Amino acid sequence: MSEKKKRKKIGKGVCDWCGKEQPLCFICINCGFTICQKCFIENQHLFTRSGVTWVCINCCSWQSL
């Protein structure tokens, strides 16, 4: 299995947006950018159009939810 596949896409972490530790965060598998569910929902227009994928604003890679 490749290194990308081993990295977590959802989990506990410190949100790069609000700076708080949260139990549920979306994590970019390319660069590690982390955003909590609350910040993601509040700023959804910046990250997703479809609700199925999101764009990491740090490295511009597409991630699935």
Side-chain angles (χ1 to χ4, degrees):
M1 195 179 292
S2 73
E3 184 63 31
K4 261 190 195 180
K5 298 270 184 200
K6 290 180 184 177
R7 295 180 79 184
K8 291 178 15 175
K9 295 195 300 188
I10 298 176
K12 182 178 171 182
V14 177
C15 178
D16 291 328
W17 200 268
C18 68
K20 297 177 184 173
E21 187 169 342
Q22 299 290 341
L24 180 62
C25 295
F26 300 107
I27 305 165
C28 175
I29 60 172
N30 287 337
C31 69
F33 175 78
T34 304
I35 186 162
C36 69
Q37 184 179 27
K38 182 181 177 207
C39 291
F40 185 86
I41 291 170
E42 288 175 357
N43 300 286
Q44 192 170 359
H45 64 281
L46 297 173
F47 299 101
T48 185
R49 297 274 187 250
S50 67
V52 176
T53 60
W54 66 283
V55 178
C56 174
I57 60 169
N58 193 42
C59 69
C60 296
S61 66
W62 287 91
Q63 310 291 319
S64 62
L65 291 173

